[in-house]
Amino acid sequence: MTAPVARLTIRGVIARKWRIFLTILAVVSGVAFVSGAFVLTDSVKKSINDVFATLSEGIDIEVRTSIAFGDEATAERDPVSIDVIDVVTAIDGVRLAEGNLLRAATVIKSDGEPLRTSGPAFGIAWVGPDGLDGRTIVEGRPAAGPGEVTLDKSSARRAGYEVGDTVTIVGPAGKDDFVLVGLNGTGKTTNGGGASIAAFDPVTANEFLGAENMVDSIYIAIDEGADRDAVMAAIDVALPDGLQVITGEQSAEETAGAINDIIDIFGNVLLGFAAVSLFVSAFLIFNTFAIIVSQRLRELALLRAVGASARQIRTMIIGEALVVSVIATLLGILAGMGVAKGIVAIFNAAGAAFPSASLIVSPRTIVASTVVGVGVTVAAAIVPALRAARIPPVAAMRPELGFNSLQKNKRLVVGSITTGIGLVLFSIGVFGQPGGTSGTLGLSALGAILLFLGIASLSTTVAAPASRVISRVLPLPFRPMTRSVPGRLGSRNAQRTPRRTASTASALMIGLALVSTVSVVASSVQASFKEQLQGSVTADFFVSNGPGNFQGLPIAFSERLSELPELSAVSPFRAATAQVNGDTKQIGAVRGSAFGQLVDIDLASGSVESLDDGKILLHRDPARDYAVQVGDTLSILWLNGTEQQIEVGGIYDDATIAGNWLVGLSTLQAVSTATPTDFFIGAKIADGVDIEDARTAVEAVALDFPSAEVQDQAEFQQSQEDQLNQLLIIIYGLLIISIAIAVLGIANTMALSVFERTREFGLLRAVGMSKRDLKRSIRWEAVIVAVFGASLGIIVGIPLGLAVTTALPSTFITTTVVPVNTIIIILIASIIVGVVAAIGPARRAAKLNVLDAISTH
Amino acid sequence: MTSLSTAAAGAIDAFKIYGKDDSEVRALDGVTVTFASEKFTAIMGPSGSGKSTLMHCLAGLDSLTSGSITIGDTNLATLNDKELTLTRRSNVGFIFQAYNLIPTLTALENITLPLDLGGTPVDQQWIDTVVDAVGLRSRLNHRPSELSGGQQQRVAVARALASKPRIIFADEPTGNLDSRMGTEILTFMRHAVTDLGQTIVMVTHDPVAASYADRVIFLADGKIVDELDNPTADHVLDRMKRLGS
C-alpha cells in the first residue's frame, strides 16, 4: 500500500469510526470466543498436567492389569492383588513399592449434607508424604490407623471441618466416622482440581473402601543409580499373567491425556459457537462496508476521476477492513482472556477449584485469533471492495450511474446453485454419515454454511415482496401502522434497498435457523423419550447418583434394598465394556429375575430370566446385524481378556433404558473383578404395600448413601427431562450471542441508512412530520427487517431440524415434534429485536436539525 | 500569446447513443472538434444538448459509442481502464460543480492527491506558485468542511493544476458560487491559461462565465451548431438567444 492510499485508508477509518464501531464489536465477540476457547483449554490443561506431573514425580514404574482392547487411559481395569507388592519389592533395584487404591467415597459436611464436588469424590490409600504419589501434608499429620483420615484442604474448608473434628465419610460398603488428623495437598496446590480426596492409611483404606486385599495398581520407586529398563524387565518376568509394567511418566500422561480430551471437547464446543458468531459477523461486516461504499460513491468516483486506479480503490477499502480487523482482533484476544477467566470463575464458584488461575496466551492463540478475526473481516469486505473499484469515474458528476450490480437473474442462479449444493452436502453429512462424527459434523456444517449463503443471496429477490407481505400480516396491535404515513414509509424503505434488507435479515436468519433446528430436534427427542419412558418403565422407584454426578452408586446399596420386605423386585443396572465378535460394545448387567418387572423391554423372543442362567439378551437391531436368534452363541471378549461363548437368551424391541446388550449380574461378576458401581437401581413395591411406606423404607437405606437420589416414576422422568433442558439452555444461551450480533447488524444498517437519508428526513420534517412519526417509521422498518430474518430462519431451520430428526436412529426418535410455541416466541422476539435495534437510529434521526438536514449535500 | 499552439485534445465523429430503436437518445451526434493548447475554451448549450457528455468523453470518464477522442497524441479508445487511469492522473485535471474534494484529506493533501496517487514527486515550486495564485496559503491544513464554498472551489482548481496536466476540464465550476466568488474563480482560471500556460475546457451555461474564454463552442441536440472567438457576455447571450429560437 502506497503512502497516499494508506493515508486515505486511515483517514477513512477515523472519519467513520462510529459507523464501524458496531462492526468492530461484532468481530470482537467472535474473536473472543476463539481466543477464549484456546486460553481456557491451554490454561486448564497446563494446570492439570502440572498436578499429574507432581503426583507422578516420585513414581518410576507402575504395575497394573493389562486390558484386551480399548483405551488405556479410561479403561475400567481389574485390580491387582496386594500380594504382588511383595513380589515386586523383592526384585533387585526396587527401593519402594506401594499399592495405589482409589475408590468413590463421599464426605458428609458438618451440616449433614453430602459434599458436592464438580470432580469426583475419592477415598484413597496413602502412606503419607514419604510415599511415592507426591501428596503433601498441609496441616496436621497423615492418617496412621483405624478411625483416622485426612482431607484435601479445600474440601475440608467447604465441608466445614477443621483438624480434630469428626468426619462422616460414605464408602462403597457404607458410612463410618473418622477423626480428621490432617489436611493433604498436591504439590503447590491444596485441592484436587475439583475432586474431594479423603486419604486413609493402607490398611484402613483396604477395609473401609471394600478393596478385599486388592489395589488398583502398584507404584514403584527404584534405587538410586539402578537401570530402570533393567528393573522393569525383571519385574515383567516376575509378574503373574495379565499384569503389565509401564513407566510412571506414561501413566501420568495417559491420565492427563484423558482429562485433556474432555477439556478439548469443551474447547471445541466454544470454537463451534465462535464459528457461528463469526459467520453472523461476516454478514454485518459485509453490510457495513457495502453501505459505506455506496454512501461514498461520489468520493470514490472523484478519486477515480483524479487518477486513482481501480486497484488503489480496492486496496483502500480492503485496507480499511484490515485496520478494523486488527483493532477488533486485539480487543477480541483481550476479551477472550476475560471469557476464559469468567468460565474458570463460574466453574470455581460451582466448586471446581481449578488448581491455577494464571491464564496462558500461547502464540497459537494469537495466531488463530488473528487469522480468524482478520480473515473473516477482510473476506467479508472483498465484495464491497470489488464493487467500489467498479464505480465509474463519471459517477463523480452523475451519481445515478454509480453501480451496475449483479443482475437479478444471475443472482437467482448463483443463489439457487449455492443453496442446492448446500442442501446436498448437508443431506450427505446427516444421512450418509461418512467419516464418523467429524465427517458428519464437518460435511453438514459446510452444507449449512452454503445453504445459509445461498438463501441469503436468494432472499434479496424476495426481500421487497416479503417486506410488503410482512407489513400487511403483522398482528393486530400493529395494524394501524400499515395505513399511516410512518407505516407506509417504513415499509417502503424496507423494500427500497432489497439487498441491504436481505443481508441484514440474513444475519438474524442464521442464529434463529440454528435455534429452530435445535428446538425441533430437542422437542422430538424429549417427546420420544417421554413416550418411551412411559411405555417401558414399570419400576416404582429409581435410585441414581443425582444429576451431574458421574460416579456410580456403591453396589452395597442395591444389596441392602433387596433385603427390604416392602420391595418385591430390585435390580441394579451396571455397565461393562466388551467386544462382541470383535466390535467394542457397552453391555448392561442386571438381575434377570427382577429386571423384567422393572423395565418393559418389549421382549420378542426368549426370556429375561435366562440372564440369570448366564445368557445374553440383545436388541433386534444388533440381532439383525449379527444374524443371531435365541439359542445361537456370541463370542464375548471382556476387557481383562477373558473370552466367553455366550448363548442368546432373548431378543427385545425396546432399548430406551436397557441399551442394546444385556447380561446377568452373575455373568459380569464371574469374569471381572473390576470395582463395580451401579448406574441406577430400579425397584418395585411388593403387593399390598403402601407407596409411602415403601418410600420411607427406601429413604431410610438411602441415609447411608447420601449422594443417592430416590425418585418415583414421575420424578425420574422429570429429572431426565431437566438434564436435556439444561443442555438446551446452554445451547440457546450461546446462540443468543449470535442473535445479539445480528441485532447489532440491524441497528448498524438502520444507523447507516438514517445517515444516508438525512436530506430525506429533513424534507419530511420540513413538510410537517412529527419527531414521533419519524421514529415510528424507522422502528417499523427495523421490525419488518427483523421479522423477515426470523421468518427466513424458521423456514430454513425447521426442515433442517426435521432432517436431523429423521436421520437419528429410531431407538432415539419415535415421534417428531415441531415446537409451535418456540416458533411463536421467536417471531415475537424478533419484533422486540427490531424495536430495540431501532432505538438508537430513531433517536438520532429525530434529533436532526431540519434546516441542517436539508442544506447538507 | 502564441498562435502556434498545438491541439491538446480533440474529438472526431464522436457519437454517444443511449437506448435502442424508439427510445434511442443521441447525446452526441457526430461531433468533431479540437481544443488548442494554452487556450481557454467554453462549451455552451441548453440542458440536454450533450455538453456534459462531450466533456465526460473528452476526459476519458465515459466512452463513446463510435468515433475517437484524443488527448495529446493518445487515442483514448485504445486504452484499457488502467491506462485510462494513468492518462487521467497525468494528463487531465478536473474541476467539478460541487463535491470536488475528499472530505477526509486536508486542503494541501487534496491538492497533491493526483501526484500522490501516481507516486509522482511533488514539484514544490509549482505547488507554491499555484497555492499563492489561488490565495490559499493560510488554509492549507484545513479540512474541506472548514472551508467556504469558494475556498473549496479554489482548492479544486489548485488540484487540477497541481500535476501540470495537458488539459483541464471544468464542469460548471461556478454553478454553486455567488457571483463575487464566481468571478474570483474565473479570473484565476483565465490567469492560469494566460500566465501559467494551462489549457482549460469549461462547460457552462452562464454567458458571463463563457466570456472569460478565448473561444466558445455552442452545442444543441448533440451537434456543434456554432462557435465564437474572443467572446463578450453580450455576444454569447445574443448567440444563445438565436439558438434557442
Side-chain angles (χ1 to χ4, degrees), chain A residues 259-304:
Chain A
I259 295 175
N260 287 350
D261 286 348
I262 296 171
I263 297 166
D264 277 339
I265 291 173
F266 191 74
N268 286 341
V269 169
L270 277 184
L271 287 179
F273 285 101
V276 172
S277 57
L278 280 165
F279 189 47
V280 174
S281 306
F283 278 81
L284 172 53
I285 298 159
F286 168 81
N287 231 11
T288 309
F289 277 92
I291 296 172
I292 286 179
V293 163
S294 75
Q295 288 178 351
R296 291 161 76 186
L297 174 66
R298 294 195 75 168
E299 180 188 331
L300 295 170
L302 176 67
L303 278 170
R304 290 283 280 131

Side-chain angles (χ1 to χ4, degrees), chain A residues 351-369:
Chain A
F354 280 122
S356 147
S358 65
L359 294 179
I360 296 171
V361 183
S362 69
R364 178 197 56 165
T365 307
I366 291 171
V367 169
S369 302

Side-chain angles (χ1 to χ4, degrees), chain A residues 657-820:
Chain A
I657 296 191
N660 279 342
W661 306 85
L662 283 177
V663 293
L665 273 182
S666 47
T667 309
L668 186 61
Q669 277 161 343
V671 290
S672 171
T673 50
T675 334
T677 54
D678 293 331
F679 265 18
F680 64 84
I681 302 166
K684 186 125 186 111
I685 303 172
D687 280 344
V689 175
D690 183 60
I691 185 162
E692 285 308 316
D693 294 344
R695 182 157 196 147
T696 312
V698 173
E699 300 267 10
V701 177
L703 282 180
D704 286 347
F705 302 92
S707 65
E709 205 169 319
V710 179
Q711 295 171 317
D712 63 23
Q713 264 195 34
E715 288 166 345
F716 177 67
Q717 231 169 63
Q718 191 58 48
S719 72
Q720 297 293 325
E721 282 173 27
D722 286 350
Q723 280 182 34
L724 196 59
N725 282 335
Q726 272 178 7
L727 189 70
L728 277 182
I729 287 171
I730 294 171
I731 295 177
Y732 286 153
L734 288 165
L735 285 176
I736 277 178
I737 293 167
S738 75
I739 294 168
I741 295 172
V743 176
L744 285 184
I746 297 177
N748 200 26
T749 307
M750 296 307 299
L752 293 170
S753 298
V754 165
F755 178 82
E756 196 172 61
R757 295 181 201 147
T758 305
R759 269 183 84 85
E760 196 176 310
F761 290 143
L763 183 65
L764 286 168
R765 296 272 288 114
V767 299
M769 186 183 245
S770 69
K771 284 186 176 184
R772 193 164 156 266
D773 279 349
L774 186 59
K775 282 184 178 178
R776 283 172 69 196
S777 87
I778 291 167
R779 215 177 296 138
W780 186 237
E781 183 182 347
V783 167
I784 290 173
V785 173
V787 173
F788 179 45
S791 310
L792 284 176
I794 292 166
I795 292 170
V796 176
I798 287 180
L800 290 189
L802 292 177
V804 173
T805 325
T806 318
L808 286 174
S810 59
T811 43
F812 257 122
I813 300 285
T814 51
T815 348
T816 303
V817 181
V818 174
V820 180

Side-chain angles (χ1 to χ4, degrees), chain A residues 7 11 302 304-305 307 312, chain B residues 81 89 94 100 109 116-117:
Chain A
R7 183 164 61 212
R11 297 276 174 79
L302 176 67
R304 290 283 280 131
Q312 281 171 319
Chain B
D81 182 72
R89 198 185 271 168
F94 290 99
N100 255 309
E109 285 165 351
D116 292 342
L117 283 169

Side-chain angles (χ1 to χ4, degrees), chain A residues 440-456:
Chain A
T440 306
L441 276 180
L443 213 56
S444 45
L446 183 66
I449 288 173
L450 288 177
L451 183 65
F452 286 141
L453 288 175
I455 299 278

Side-chain angles (χ1 to χ4, degrees), chain A residues 71-215:
Chain A
D71 181 23
E72 292 285 352
T74 53
E76 287 274 335
R77 291 166 197 280
D78 281 359
V80 182
S81 163
I82 52 172
D83 298 340
V84 179
I85 299 178
D86 296 335
V87 175
V88 171
T89 311
I91 288 167
D92 221 22
V94 172
R95 176 173 66 82
L96 184 62
E98 63 184 36
N100 159 42
L101 178 63
L102 181 141
R103 290 288 184 277
T106 306
V107 174
I108 305 299
K109 294 194 287 184
S110 54
D111 63 6
E113 291 293 313
L115 176 68
R116 294 266 177 213
T117 51
S118 65
F122 285 140
I124 62 167
W126 187 43
V127 296
D130 297 336
L132 300 179
D133 70 355
R135 278 178 216 287
T136 51
I137 274 292
V138 180
E139 193 183 328
R141 60 172 177 82
E148 291 187 355
V149 73
T150 62
L151 294 177
D152 65 283
K153 189 177 172 185
S154 129
S155 298
R157 186 177 44 77
R158 293 205 304 125
Y161 290 122
E162 296 194 8
V163 172
D165 289 350
T166 300
V167 180
T168 306
I169 298 173
V170 183
K175 64 178 173 183
D176 211 341
D177 287 349
F178 297 89
V179 177
L180 185 65
V181 296
L183 302 179
N184 64 56
T186 306
K188 273 174 277 178
T189 67
T190 51
N191 60 59
S196 76
I197 291 164
F200 310 91
D201 75 279
V203 177
T204 310
N206 179 50
E207 196 166 317
F208 178 65
L209 298 177
E212 292 170 352
N213 297 324
M214 305 288 267
V215 289

Side-chain angles (χ1 to χ4, degrees), chain B residues 53-129:
Chain B
T53 307
L54 176 61
M55 197 195 76
H56 295 160
C57 291
L58 282 168
L61 293 174
D62 205 350
S63 59
L64 290 176
T65 308
S66 71
S68 69
I69 300 283
T70 48
I71 288 182
D73 306 325
T74 316
N75 182 352
L76 295 191
T78 63
L79 304 182
N80 62 22
D81 182 72
K82 201 169 179 178
E83 292 159 339
L84 263 180
T85 301
L86 288 175
T87 303
R88 277 201 302 274
R89 198 185 271 168
S90 47
N91 291 329
V92 182
F94 290 99
I95 305 162
F96 302 130
Q97 180 173 4
Y99 207 88
N100 255 309
L101 307 177
I102 302 297
T104 53
L105 299 182
T106 64
L108 180 62
E109 285 165 351
N110 263 292
I111 291 170
T112 58
L113 184 60
L115 300 170
D116 292 342
L117 283 169
T120 318
V122 173
D123 178 347
Q124 197 53 50
Q125 206 182 340
W126 173 247
I127 295 296
D128 285 342
T129 311

Side-chain angles (χ1 to χ4, degrees), chain A residues 438-492:
Chain A
S438 53
T440 306
L441 276 180
L443 213 56
S444 45
L446 183 66
I449 288 173
L450 288 177
L451 183 65
F452 286 141
L453 288 175
I455 299 278
S457 168
L458 288 178
S459 65
T460 310
T461 315
V462 293
S467 305
R468 207 154 42 232
V469 171
I470 288 168
S471 64
R472 296 238 173 88
V473 302
L474 268 189
L476 260 179
F478 300 95
R479 183 72 56 177
M481 283 301 290
T482 57
R483 293 181 188 240
S484 67
V485 172
R488 272 207 310 271
L489 277 175
S491 162
R492 297 275 164 77

